[in-house]
């Protein structure tokens, strides 16, 4: 019987927890090391968030959970979600009238889901806890790793030795999965072993959380009456430079986020009493949903956080380490894909490892071929394939997420944007054989590779321009020529008269 492998997962966020579940399902010994305390302990505050926040979960994340081998996971997660079938754009007309405009995400009625990030994470931890081959190490911070010798060092948080220094432990592993977020220590140590290309960019936008409270006086037997605005939409108050969004929560409240350039935050920090009028000017209707004093308090109390976009390559070192999720490709949150892409990483990685029959005792007939050396070189090939497959896709969604910020805060109301959406959706509904879909639908409701989504969407854009030119431009041009040849004489004298008038005007 082949020896079990030891898989060490660093980071017990949604991606690390799902990766641990995939590895444990395949029979390996799994150890999870997490910097913070157990998330299920009510006193633990989620990293970067003042409380557990709501995220948009879509097909890629759902599909990764579907393939986890734990059907109850998906049932449980889905039961606590709220479908958001489109955007609700809030604005003000030139006459001062406040309006709402619903824009469905999909011509076929598909929806993305608002999910409590902490709830999803806790469910994963609960399942892992019940597995005999999984061990948790909370309050353990990765401080060093030698990927050639397969050894790592962790500092135990809050525990000091008799010398007053933090206690450190040394462990060994066969495979380390780094799912320790945007500021990944695994990635940092991996860079010492491999020639990793690395690019990070802070966009000049900060974000801060607010909350629209539930209606307290809503009747108990009418759960929908608890919501102050439609619960089935992702609400957007677009501003050219700023954006305010609201995502529904199960309890009737909304998690809201202000995105604005750092200079705006600085201005509001100096003059906090201008916060309500700033909202009235840029995000009409918000002060009717959040009391002005609550806006000021939240702005003061909640952190003003940066947004980072990270691209790197390769994602692995030899046969011993791989980074997933934000550790590999943190992205700005404007496509609602960060967590979804991270969960998809897990499905793709384990699909490739399975193909090479590496994780667990799936292919243990040939004992010889399961020797440690052979397994290690097979795993190296699998991890290299993972990097080759996944890097172009992760880079593509990073770019799309950056582009979508412009779309969300300004293009959503532009006639060109709406015309393209209308044409693509009409073709998708009336000529399904053509396989046309909007880029948004391909990203959020399918599992096509992100890089293919970009290629297909570019192709569709060009075909639309050509089709539009063929259907409208060519007949117009032909009509123009016909007119010219019929009334050549009259047109020539008209042009001459205009030219003469222009010259006289210029001379004057
Ligand atoms: P993380 O969630 O960052 O987890 C990393 C874990 O590693 C943490 O628990 C951390 O404590 C631990 N850790 C860190 N360092 C160490 C160490 N040295 N040793 C041990 N453990 C360590 N995504 C979506 O899909 N949809 C959305 O709608 C969406 N909205 C978002 C809105 C905002 C405002 C932001 C900021 C992000 C949003 N995202 C969204 C992105 C999403 O939150 C992340 O992509 C996702 O949380 C990444 O998960 P992860 O497990 O890779 O990393």
């Amino acid at each position: 019987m082949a020896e079990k492998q030891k898989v060490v997962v660093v980071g017990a966020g949604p991606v690390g927890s799902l990766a641990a579940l995939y590895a444990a399902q395949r029979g390996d010994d799994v150890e999870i090391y997490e910097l913070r305390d157990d998330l299920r302990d009510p006193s633990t505050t989620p990293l970067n968030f003042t409380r557990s926040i709501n995220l948009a979960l879509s097909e890629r994340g759902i599909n990764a959970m579907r393939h986890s081998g734990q059907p109850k996971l998906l049932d449980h997660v889905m039961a606590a979600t709220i479908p958001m079938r489109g955007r609700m754009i809030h604005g003000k007309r030139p006459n001062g009238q406040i309006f709402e405009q619903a824009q469905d995400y999909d011509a076929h009625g598909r929806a993305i889901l608002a999910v409590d990030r902490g709830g999803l994470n806790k469910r994963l931890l609960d399942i892992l806890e019940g597995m005999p081959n999984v061990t948790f190490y909370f309050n353990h911070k990765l401080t060093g790793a030698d990927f050639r010798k397969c050894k790592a060092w962790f500092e135990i948080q809050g525990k000091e030795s008799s010398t007053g220094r933090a206690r450190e432990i040394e462990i060994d592993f066969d495979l380390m999965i780094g799912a320790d977020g945007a500021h990944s220590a695994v990635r940092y140590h991996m860079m010492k072993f491999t020639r990793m290309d690395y690019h990070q960019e802070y966009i000049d936008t900060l974000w801060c959380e607010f909350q629209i409270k539930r209606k307290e006086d809503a009747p108990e037997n009418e759960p929908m009456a608890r919501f102050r605005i439609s619960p089935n939409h992702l609400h957007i108050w677009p501003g050219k430079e700023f954006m305010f969004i609201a995502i529904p929560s199960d309890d009737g409240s909304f998690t809201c986020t202000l995105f604005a350039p750092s200079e705006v935050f600085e201005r509001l920090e100096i003059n906090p009493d201008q916060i309500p009028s700033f909202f009235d000017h840029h995000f009409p209707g918000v002060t009717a949903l959040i009391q002005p004093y609550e806006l000021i308090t939240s702005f003061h109390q909640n952190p003003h956080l940066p947004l980072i976009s990270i691209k790197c390559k390769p994602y692995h070192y030899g046969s011993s380490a791989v980074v997933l999720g934000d550790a590999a490709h943190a992205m700005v949150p404007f496509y609602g894909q960060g967590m979804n892409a991270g969960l998809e990483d897990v499905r793709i990685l384990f699909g490739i490892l399975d193909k090479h029959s590496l994780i667990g005792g799936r292919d243990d007939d040939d004992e010889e071929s399961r020797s440690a050396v052979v397994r290690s070189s097979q795993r190296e090939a699998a991890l290299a394939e993972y990097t080759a497959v996944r890097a172009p896709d992760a880079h593509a969604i990073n770019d799309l997420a950056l582009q979508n910020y412009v779309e969300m805060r300004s293009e959503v109301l532009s006639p060109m944007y709406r015309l393209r959406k209308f044409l693509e959706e009409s073709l998708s509904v009336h000529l399904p054989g053509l396989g046309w879909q909007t880029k948004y639908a391909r990203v959020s409701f399918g599992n096509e590779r992100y890089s293919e989504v970009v290629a297909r969407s570019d192709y569709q854009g060009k075909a639309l321009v050509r089709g539009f030119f063929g259907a409208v431009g060519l007949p117009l041009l032909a009509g123009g020529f016909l007119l010219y040849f019929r009334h050549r004489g009259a047109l020539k004298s008209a042009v001459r008269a205009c030219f003469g008038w222009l010259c006289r005007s210029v001379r004057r």
Side-chain angles (χ1 to χ4, degrees), residues 305-320:
L305 294 162
L307 289 172
I308 195 168
S309 176
I310 291 174
K311 285 181 185 170
C312 67
K313 191 184 162 194
Y315 296 137
H316 73 288
Y317 170 72
S319 63
S320 60

Side-chain angles (χ1 to χ4, degrees), residues 11 15 34-36 55-56 117 140 142 179-180 326 336 338-340:
V15 176
E34 165 55 48
L35 167 69
R36 293 171 301 141
L55 302 180
R117 183 185 180 281
H140 280 64
L142 180 81
D180 49 345
D326 276 16
M339 182 184 71
N340 286 291

Side-chain angles (χ1 to χ4, degrees), residues 3-10 29-33 137 142 144-154 169-177 320 379:
E3 212 184 296
K4 278 188 183 180
Q5 292 182 103
K6 181 168 161 189
V7 178
V8 160
V9 178
V10 183
D29 282 331
V30 179
E31 291 181 358
I32 308 170
Y33 292 83
Y137 296 89
L142 180 81
D146 184 331
F147 294 114
R148 259 181 227 113
K149 294 187 180 144
C150 290
K151 288 197 179 305
W153 294 270
F154 290 86
I169 55 161
E170 180 183 291
I171 61 147
D172 48 28
F173 55 88
D174 293 303
L175 173 65
M176 175 177 280
I177 297 180
S320 60
R379 187 166 52 234

Side-chain angles (χ1 to χ4, degrees), residues 10-17 33-36 47-49 53-58 117 121 140-143 154 179-186 207 234 245 247 257 259 306-307 324-327 330-333 335-342:
V10 183
V15 176
S17 304
Y33 292 83
E34 165 55 48
L35 167 69
R36 293 171 301 141
L47 186 77
N48 271 348
F49 303 104
I53 64 151
N54 285 343
L55 302 180
L57 173 69
S58 51
R117 183 185 180 281
N121 210 155
H140 280 64
K141 177 184 181 180
L142 180 81
T143 52
F154 290 86
D180 49 345
H183 304 285
S184 167
V186 176
W207 63 278
L234 191 156
I245 66 165
I247 299 185
T257 315
F259 296 98
L307 289 172
L324 303 182
D326 276 16
M331 64 192 76
V332 294
Y335 228 114
Q337 283 293 306
M339 182 184 71
N340 286 291

